[in-house]
Amino acid sequence: MATAPEKLLLRLEWKVVRRLDGRLQGAHRTTYRGAGIDFTGLRPYDEGDDARHIDWNVTARLDEPHLRVFTEDRELTVWLVLDRSASMAAGRPGRGKHDVLAELALVLARLFGRGGNRVGALLFDTGMVRVVPPGTTRRHTLRIGAELERTAESHGGATTDLAEMLDAAGRLARRRALIVVLSDFIGDGDWERSLQRLARRHEVVALRIVDTADDVLPEAGLIVVEDAETGEQLVVDSADPLLRVRFREAVNARDARLAAGMRRAGVPVHRVDTDRDLAEALVEVVARTRDRSP
């Protein structure tokens, strides 16, 4: 009897993967400057770089640390950083942010794996990290799906520390890799500095999963508003015009901070709404990624 991850992957292979086949391959840059075989040049050392690549002769001659730079092999190591915190449970049953994250993770793992790339996953919730080491096969994609199912109901009570999540990814990815962060980016911590450190060593792409509940306050009179991460509850009048204005201002400020932080780190962020067709959303991500490529 097929397991839940097997049923989900079969459905996604039929409805999404077939439509995307060949469209994601080549969407990432295949010539990275990092740890590989072919020497391409030198560059000054940056904080966080691998000291093993320092060219000591050049460093002594120029009196400034320099690294040897190589062209990497075509095959990538891809790490999926998957936010399993409580705020990701928002949304209607069967199509909440957790559900969309699971679908995205399986589709990306299957597509990248079929292209010969090794795909691993880091599943993060406050106080808990689960790791699926990189692999390429369909069975490996199902292993990621099984871990997603295991973490679906295990949520902590504290606000997500986004910096901790990104730092965990940095510790995990020893060699240069493509890191895809799937999250709603609702949380605390000095995440921008952590993102900058991560982006200096790796190619980083952010997929921000958003539900209508994140952006819109329904006009339903008195309602109980609950912080999905801390469990704190508050009764508010959702029809209060001043409250609605303040809510919209807070949403706009949150989005502006996120966009500015991503821009400063040089990380592209793509919005994926829970009510959007998954294949269409990914085709748009690919198109925008190609438009950014030099």
Side-chain angles (χ1 to χ4, degrees):
M1 185 175 180
T3 63
E6 287 174 322
K7 291 178 181 177
L8 176 59
L9 182 56
L10 280 171
R11 177 171 64 81
L12 292 171
E13 285 176 328
W14 179 253
K15 291 188 174 182
V16 181
V17 174
R18 285 203 322 161
R19 291 167 61 187
L20 291 173
D21 227 356
R23 301 186 71 168
L24 286 190
Q25 304 307 321
H28 57 78
R29 293 201 297 267
T30 56
T31 303
Y32 286 105
R33 295 187 179 275
I37 299 173
D38 299 323
F39 175 71
T40 59
L42 297 159
R43 68 168 174 81
Y45 176 86
D46 286 328
E47 181 184 354
D49 284 334
D50 191 339
R52 292 174 299 177
H53 300 148
I54 291 177
D55 187 313
W56 294 107
N57 291 329
V58 174
T59 295
R61 188 167 66 248
L62 299 180
D63 197 25
E64 181 185 357
H66 274 68
L67 282 119
R68 294 173 63 83
V69 181
F70 300 87
T71 300
E72 286 198 354
D73 299 330
R74 181 177 177 84
E75 289 74 24
L76 287 172
T77 296
V78 182
W79 283 102
L80 304 177
V81 180
L82 309 175
D83 182 357
R84 303 301 284 167
S85 62
S87 68
M88 290 293 294
R92 69 181 187 273
R95 199 59 188 171
K97 289 186 285 187
H98 269 316
D99 302 301
V100 173
L101 178 142
E103 292 182 3
L104 279 168
L106 291 184
V107 167
L108 292 173
R110 189 73 181 115
L111 285 167
F112 278 118
R114 286 171 65 170
N117 305 299
R118 299 170 68 246
V119 183
L122 182 154
L123 296 87
F124 181 89
D125 194 358
T126 302
M128 179 192 72
V129 175
R130 286 198 176 103
V131 176
V132 180
T136 59
T137 64
R138 186 178 188 276
R139 179 175 295 180
H140 181 74
T141 300
L142 288 172
R143 182 180 174 187
I144 294 175
E147 288 297 330
L148 284 164
E149 188 177 27
R150 285 181 60 194
T151 58
E153 301 300 327
S154 56
H155 305 309
T159 303
T160 304
D161 189 331
L162 295 173
E164 184 184 350
M165 180 174 74
L166 297 170
D167 287 340
R171 291 190 297 269
L172 186 64
R174 299 296 183 93
R175 296 186 60 189
R176 186 167 173 84
L178 171 64
I179 297 181
V180 185
V181 184
L182 288 79
S183 173
D184 57 8
F185 292 94
I186 295 176
D188 293 331
D190 185 9
W191 61 267
E192 187 176 336
R193 185 176 299 176
S194 297
L195 183 64
Q196 289 173 352
R197 283 197 298 266
L198 193 64
R200 276 199 295 266
R201 298 190 62 186
H202 305 283
E203 185 81 1
V204 183
V205 176
L207 299 184
R208 181 188 172 206
I209 302 172
V210 181
D211 187 80
T212 303
D214 295 331
D215 294 341
V216 178
L217 186 66
E219 287 196 62
L222 293 177
I223 60 174
V224 177
V225 178
E226 179 176 327
D227 187 314
E229 303 237 322
T230 65
E232 182 180 356
Q233 293 184 336
L234 183 68
V235 178
V236 301
D237 181 2
S238 63
D240 182 349
L242 182 58
L243 175 66
R244 298 185 67 80
V245 169
R246 288 178 174 173
F247 181 85
R248 174 46 53 190
E249 289 175 346
V251 168
N252 291 341
R254 177 200 67 197
D255 291 352
R257 285 194 303 271
L258 178 64
M262 292 288 177
R263 187 168 54 251
R264 283 190 289 267
V267 172
V269 56
H270 306 279
R271 176 175 171 132
V272 180
D273 290 273
T274 55
D275 58 358
R276 182 88 184 274
D277 178 85
L278 197 62
E280 290 180 2
L282 286 173
V283 167
E284 184 177 298
V285 169
V286 171
R288 289 178 59 193
T289 300
R290 285 176 175 154
D291 288 343
R292 289 183 75 255
S293 298

